[in-house]
Short mmCIF file of all heavy atoms in Angstrom, two decimals:
data_model
loop_
_atom_site.label_atom_id
_atom_site.label_comp_id
_atom_site.label_asym_id
_atom_site.label_seq_id
_atom_site.Cartn_x
_atom_site.Cartn_y
_atom_site.Cartn_z
N SER A 100 30.92 69.58 146.77
CA SER A 100 30.53 70.80 146.06
C SER A 100 29.18 71.34 146.50
O SER A 100 28.94 72.54 146.45
CB SER A 100 30.50 70.52 144.55
OG SER A 100 29.64 69.43 144.25
N SER A 101 28.28 70.50 146.97
CA SER A 101 26.96 70.94 147.36
C SER A 101 26.97 71.47 148.78
O SER A 101 27.27 70.75 149.71
CB SER A 101 25.97 69.77 147.27
OG SER A 101 24.73 70.13 147.84
N PRO A 102 26.60 72.75 148.98
CA PRO A 102 26.65 73.31 150.34
C PRO A 102 25.66 72.68 151.31
O PRO A 102 25.85 72.74 152.53
CB PRO A 102 26.35 74.79 150.13
CG PRO A 102 25.63 74.85 148.83
CD PRO A 102 26.18 73.74 147.99
N TYR A 103 24.61 72.06 150.79
CA TYR A 103 23.61 71.44 151.66
C TYR A 103 23.60 69.92 151.54
O TYR A 103 22.66 69.26 151.96
CB TYR A 103 22.22 72.01 151.36
CG TYR A 103 22.13 73.48 151.66
CD1 TYR A 103 22.15 74.42 150.62
CD2 TYR A 103 22.08 73.94 152.97
CE1 TYR A 103 22.10 75.78 150.89
CE2 TYR A 103 22.02 75.30 153.25
CZ TYR A 103 22.04 76.21 152.20
OH TYR A 103 21.99 77.55 152.47
N CYS A 104 24.68 69.39 150.95
CA CYS A 104 24.82 67.93 150.82
C CYS A 104 23.69 67.27 150.06
O CYS A 104 23.34 66.12 150.34
CB CYS A 104 24.95 67.27 152.21
SG CYS A 104 26.48 67.67 153.09
N THR A 105 23.13 67.98 149.11
CA THR A 105 22.05 67.38 148.32
C THR A 105 22.62 66.36 147.33
O THR A 105 21.93 65.42 146.93
CB THR A 105 21.28 68.45 147.56
OG1 THR A 105 22.21 69.31 146.87
CG2 THR A 105 20.48 69.30 148.54
N ILE A 106 23.86 66.56 146.93
CA ILE A 106 24.56 65.61 146.09
C ILE A 106 25.95 65.41 146.68
O ILE A 106 26.65 66.37 146.94
CB ILE A 106 24.69 66.10 144.63
CG1 ILE A 106 23.31 66.29 144.01
CG2 ILE A 106 25.51 65.12 143.81
CD1 ILE A 106 23.35 66.89 142.62
N VAL A 107 26.32 64.16 146.91
CA VAL A 107 27.62 63.88 147.50
C VAL A 107 28.63 63.64 146.39
O VAL A 107 28.83 62.50 145.94
CB VAL A 107 27.55 62.69 148.48
CG1 VAL A 107 28.91 62.52 149.19
CG2 VAL A 107 26.43 62.88 149.48
N ARG A 108 29.21 64.73 145.95
CA ARG A 108 30.18 64.69 144.86
C ARG A 108 31.37 65.56 145.28
O ARG A 108 31.15 66.67 145.79
CB ARG A 108 29.57 65.20 143.59
CG ARG A 108 30.51 65.18 142.36
CD ARG A 108 29.78 65.76 141.16
NE ARG A 108 28.57 64.97 140.85
CZ ARG A 108 27.50 65.48 140.31
NH1 ARG A 108 27.44 66.77 140.02
NH2 ARG A 108 26.45 64.71 140.04
N ALA A 109 32.56 65.07 145.05
CA ALA A 109 33.74 65.84 145.45
C ALA A 109 33.77 67.17 144.71
O ALA A 109 33.38 67.27 143.55
CB ALA A 109 35.00 65.04 145.17
N ALA A 110 34.26 68.18 145.40
CA ALA A 110 34.39 69.51 144.82
C ALA A 110 35.28 69.44 143.58
O ALA A 110 36.27 68.69 143.54
CB ALA A 110 34.97 70.48 145.83
N ALA A 111 34.94 70.24 142.59
CA ALA A 111 35.64 70.19 141.30
C ALA A 111 37.11 70.56 141.44
O ALA A 111 37.95 70.05 140.68
CB ALA A 111 34.97 71.13 140.31
N ASP A 112 37.45 71.40 142.42
CA ASP A 112 38.83 71.82 142.58
C ASP A 112 39.61 70.97 143.57
O ASP A 112 40.73 71.29 143.91
CB ASP A 112 38.90 73.28 143.00
CG ASP A 112 38.18 73.54 144.31
OD1 ASP A 112 37.52 72.62 144.84
OD2 ASP A 112 38.26 74.69 144.81
N PHE A 113 39.01 69.86 144.00
CA PHE A 113 39.73 68.94 144.90
C PHE A 113 40.57 68.03 144.02
O PHE A 113 40.03 67.15 143.33
CB PHE A 113 38.74 68.13 145.73
CG PHE A 113 39.41 67.19 146.70
CD1 PHE A 113 40.16 67.67 147.75
CD2 PHE A 113 39.26 65.81 146.56
CE1 PHE A 113 40.77 66.81 148.66
CE2 PHE A 113 39.85 64.93 147.45
CZ PHE A 113 40.61 65.45 148.50
N ALA A 114 41.85 68.28 144.03
CA ALA A 114 42.71 67.64 143.02
C ALA A 114 43.37 66.35 143.46
O ALA A 114 43.59 65.45 142.67
CB ALA A 114 43.78 68.64 142.57
N VAL A 115 43.71 66.26 144.75
CA VAL A 115 44.51 65.13 145.19
C VAL A 115 43.81 64.41 146.34
O VAL A 115 43.69 64.95 147.43
CB VAL A 115 45.92 65.60 145.66
CG1 VAL A 115 46.75 64.39 146.09
CG2 VAL A 115 46.61 66.36 144.52
#
Side-chain angles (χ1 to χ4, degrees):
S100 56
S101 171
Y103 297 104
C104 292
T105 51
I106 298 175
V107 186
R108 181 182 300 150
D112 59 353
F113 182 66
V115 181

